[in-house]
């Protein structure tokens, strides 16, 4: 994707925002913004084909397929965002460096450092596989384009983009290296979470705040109470119903 | 790069400009309301709500149908609009229809487990429907994960269910053509749990979209010309979008249990599942079972659903394929006629 194209598409996006902001009811805005973003993606793709750009592999970059943040953004970190969205209430679009993550911990343990390193290694491996995916998809796309009698149309090219992407994605994501990197990523995340919890427990003790265990106990008690109440209510209603049926029979 | 034949005009941009015009004037604006069929709340328990739909002016059938949807996404997909409503089609045929809405779990629900959902909440809903209709057995229609819950329920509470319908329901989670299963083998589900103790709905949505990332994230939005020509098509498109973005969080405990027991260990199919120390054996199901699967289902491949045949007495079992994908199988106008006809013939 060229910088010129990006600027021009960003202008279109701004124009769209201004129309939407001024005249369209709130409930439609997110849907239209999403639609607009997808349209701009295809326009960029078509323009790059028109310009005969040699490397179109970024159009299969997976993070670009998640995007919700604008038409031409290079969402290189969105895959990572998914994993961090699991762990935090607000997702960070940048992969946290070890230094940044350290600041979350007062005195990072060796275990924490190891987990963060493992997380980064897995993330780098997955990103590498995603880059390869883009290149493989491009090769497949070129073959599909060449197989067409005459010049492929825009519609055919878009269809080939999809076919190349889905086929390659399926192939790459079912390979051992991908599954292994994914597994390592989740394991590292789990370890990190365990260490975060230990840290939070330590901190809550120091600050005199309720510990996670206390909160979990309360949640458990509330859960039990709700269940018992629902069971009691059901039992009562069933008993009343049985009495009503008996009374009806008698009369 | 191969030769490419560029178009003279930017069709998409023209179509989108036209579409925006439609949204500017009040009279033209599409209606985004969903799940609008008239219904009454008959039972509420924490976040769960049980609804009874208002009957149509047709001869009423005796046995009510309780629809059980998945914990993922919202159950109003069964009543998306007048044209695409499984609920309305059943009401038109005279069936008393009930819908179980699991609601939106919050952090206080993170300890809700599968036993709570199946032997607790679903059990109490079934009893409510039985009492309201003065009947000993009801019909259960489970969709996707709701179908799994319905199967477990029917195996454990045999005296409650007259007939069972499972729609796009996974049974064997380890069939070869199941990418979701392959991925989840390598995911430690507890790592998905966020600070609320639950799994964020957006995360689940993202995982599902990852099954076909280019199609689901991009290609579905490539052609919009037809949306300008047909207001109903536009409204349907927008309602589906609304539904797709409406993702409740999953109660952490139940979600982890589901992933471990079903996706990773395939316990239901292997006959190793138990809930509150009670074995869940599908062969124990003694009611007739209609199993409907979608030919193009990328979330629950046909082979996963069809595995149910291995467990149910053949005399009690029927299965049929529906055209379309996981959701299209019961929302598409093309499949609705066949689906309704299959349901009515079988339930009658």
């Amino acid at each position: 994707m060229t910088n010129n194209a990006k600027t021009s598409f960003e202008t279109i996006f701004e124009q769209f925002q201004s129309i939407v902001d001024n005249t369209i009811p709130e409930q439609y805005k997110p849907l239209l913004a999403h639609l607009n973003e997808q349209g701009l993606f295809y326009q960029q793709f078509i323009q790059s084909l028109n310009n005969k750009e040699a490397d179109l592999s970024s159009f299969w970059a997976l993070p670009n397929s998640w995007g919700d943040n604008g038409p031409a953004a290079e969402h290189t970190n969105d895959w990572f965002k998914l994993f961090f969205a699991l762990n935090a209430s607000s997702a960070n679009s940048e992969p946290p460096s070890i230094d940044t993550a350290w600041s979350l911990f007062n005195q990072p343990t060796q275990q924490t450092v190891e987990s963060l390193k493992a997380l980064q290694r897995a993330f780098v491996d997955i990103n590498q596989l995603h880059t390869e995916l883009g290149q493989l998809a491009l090769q497949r796309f070129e073959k599909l384009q060449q197989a067409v009698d005459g010049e492929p149309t825009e519609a055919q090219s878009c269809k080939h983009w999809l076919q190349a992407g889905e086929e390659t994605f399926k192939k790459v994501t079912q390979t051992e290296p991908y599954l292994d990197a994914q597994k390592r990523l989740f394991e590292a995340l789990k370890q990190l979470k365990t260490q975060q919890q230990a840290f939070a427990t330590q901190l809550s003790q120091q600050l005199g705040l309720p510990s996670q265990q206390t909160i979990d106990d309360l949640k458990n008690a509330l859960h039990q109470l709700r269940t018992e109440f629902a069971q009691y209510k059901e039992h009562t209603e069933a008993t009343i119903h049985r009495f009503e049926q008996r009374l009806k029979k008698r009369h | 790069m191969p030769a490419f034949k560029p178009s003279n005009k930017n069709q998409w941009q023209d179509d989108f400009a036209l579409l925006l015009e439609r949204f500017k004037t009040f009279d033209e604006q599409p209606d985004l309301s969903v799940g609008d069929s008239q219904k009454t709340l008959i039972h509420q328990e924490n976040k769960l709500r049980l609804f009874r739909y208002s009957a149509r002016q047709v001869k009423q059938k005796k046995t009510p149908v309780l629809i059980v949807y998945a914990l993922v996404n919202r159950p109003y997909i069964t009543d998306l609009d007048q044209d695409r409503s499984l609920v309305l089609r059943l009401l038109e045929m005279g069936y008393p229809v009930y819908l179980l809405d699991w609601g939106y779990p919050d952090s206080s629900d993170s300890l809700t487990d599968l036993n709570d959902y199946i032997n607790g909440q679903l059990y109490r809903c079934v009893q409510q429907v039985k009492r309201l209709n003065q009947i000993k057995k009801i019909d259960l229609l489970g969709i996707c994960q709701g179908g799994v819950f319905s199967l477990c329920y029917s195996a454990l509470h045999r005296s409650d269910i007259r007939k069972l319908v499972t729609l796009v329901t996974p049974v064997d989670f380890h069939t070869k053509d199941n990418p979701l299963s392959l991925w989840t083998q390598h995911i430690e589900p507890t790592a998905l749990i966020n600070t609320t103790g639950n799994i964020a709905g957006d995360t689940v949505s993202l995982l599902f979209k990852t099954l076909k990332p280019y199609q689901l994230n991009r290609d579905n939005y490539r052609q919009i010309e037809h949306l300008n020509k047909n207001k109903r098509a536009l409204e349907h498109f927008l309602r589906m979008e609304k539904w797709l973005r409406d993702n409740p969080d999953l109660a952490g405990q139940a979600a982890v249990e589901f992933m471990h027991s079903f996706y990773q260990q395939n316990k239901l199919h292997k006959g190793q599942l138990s809930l509150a120390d009670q074995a869940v054996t599908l062969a124990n199901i003694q009611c007739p079972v209609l199993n409907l699967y979608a030919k193009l289902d990328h979330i629950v491949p046909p082979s996963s659903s069809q595995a149910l045949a291995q467990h149910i007495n053949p005399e009690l079992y029927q299965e049929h394929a529906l055209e379309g994908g996981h959701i299209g199988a019961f929302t598409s106008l093309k499949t609705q006629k066949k689906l309704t006809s299959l349901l009515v013939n079988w339930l009658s």
Side-chain angles (χ1 to χ4, degrees), chain A residues 28-220:
Chain A
Y28 304 115
K29 286 179 184 174
L31 299 173
L32 287 170
H34 183 63
L35 203 55
N36 183 55
E37 186 199 330
Q38 305 311 320
L40 290 178
F41 170 83
Y42 280 104
Q43 288 172 60
Q44 284 180 314
F45 177 59
I46 297 298
Q47 186 163 319
S48 298
L49 281 176
N50 282 338
N51 294 343
K52 302 194 187 316
E53 285 175 26
D55 186 7
L56 297 174
S57 62
S58 64
F59 285 99
W60 286 275
L62 267 176
N64 275 349
S65 296
W66 312 121
D68 256 324
N69 299 337
E74 298 282 353
H75 300 302
T76 50
N77 296 314
D78 281 22
W79 177 250
F80 198 60
K81 182 175 149 183
L82 161 66
F83 294 102
F84 266 82
L86 312 173
N87 229 9
S89 49
S90 66
N92 187 351
S93 60
E94 292 295 320
S97 66
I98 289 178
D99 287 344
T100 318
W102 273 15
S103 67
L104 295 171
F105 301 87
N106 203 11
Q107 291 173 317
T109 62
Q110 187 59 30
Q111 263 184 323
T112 307
V113 175
E114 289 305 318
S115 300
L116 280 167
K117 281 182 179 170
L119 192 66
Q120 280 202 326
R121 277 197 298 273
F123 176 61
V124 167
D125 290 348
I126 283 200
N127 257 359
Q128 176 62 34
L129 287 159
H130 284 170
T131 307
E132 284 172 27
L133 189 156
Q135 284 155 0
L136 289 170
L138 176 60
Q139 287 168 18
R140 177 76 183 121
F141 173 75
E142 285 173 348
K143 276 187 187 166
L144 290 167
Q145 291 282 84
Q146 279 157 1
V148 173
D149 282 338
E151 293 178 340
T153 60
E154 280 183 12
Q156 280 173 319
S157 300
C158 288
K159 208 174 155 189
H160 292 158
W161 169 85
L162 174 66
Q163 190 182 340
E166 292 296 351
E167 281 178 10
T168 314
F169 178 78
K170 197 174 173 187
K171 204 185 281 180
V172 170
T173 54
Q174 292 184 5
T175 58
E176 273 306 314
Y178 191 92
L179 294 171
D180 175 61
Q182 195 186 44
K183 190 179 175 184
R184 284 188 284 117
L185 198 64
F186 276 94
E187 277 170 0
L189 258 182
K190 195 188 169 190
Q191 281 170 14
L192 203 57
K193 189 173 278 183
T194 308
Q195 287 142 26
Q196 278 176 337
Q197 279 166 357
F199 171 73
T201 306
Q202 212 178 357
L203 196 67
S204 57
Q205 273 172 358
Q206 281 174 6
L207 298 175
L209 297 169
S211 67
Q212 186 61 46
Q213 186 56 52
T214 310
I215 294 167
D216 287 347
D217 289 346
L218 275 172
K219 271 171 129 179
N220 198 20

Side-chain angles (χ1 to χ4, degrees), chain B residues 143-167:
Chain B
I143 302 172
C144 187
Q145 188 187 34
V148 176
F149 286 7
S150 302
L151 282 167
C152 296
Y153 189 90
S154 305
L156 293 168
H157 304 273
R158 285 174 284 177
S159 60
D160 280 345
I161 307 301
R162 185 186 75 112
K163 287 185 175 182
L164 169 67
V165 183
T166 50
L167 184 54

Side-chain angles (χ1 to χ4, degrees), chain B residues 89-136:
Chain B
R89 300 297 86 80
L90 288 168
L91 288 172
E92 284 160 4
M93 298 295 167
Y95 288 96
V97 179
Y98 292 78
L99 179 75
L100 192 163
D101 179 350
W102 302 108
Y104 294 86
D106 60 27
S107 66
S108 73
D109 301 303
S110 66
L111 297 173
T112 306
D113 62 15
L114 291 180
N115 182 53
D116 293 321
Y117 277 124
I118 297 167
N119 285 322
Q121 298 186 9
L122 177 54
Y123 170 81
R124 290 186 284 275
C125 285
V126 171
Q127 305 316 309
Q128 287 283 345
V129 176
K130 278 166 57 181
R131 280 199 293 272
L132 276 166
N133 289 273
Q134 311 272 351
I135 208 163
K136 286 185 176 169

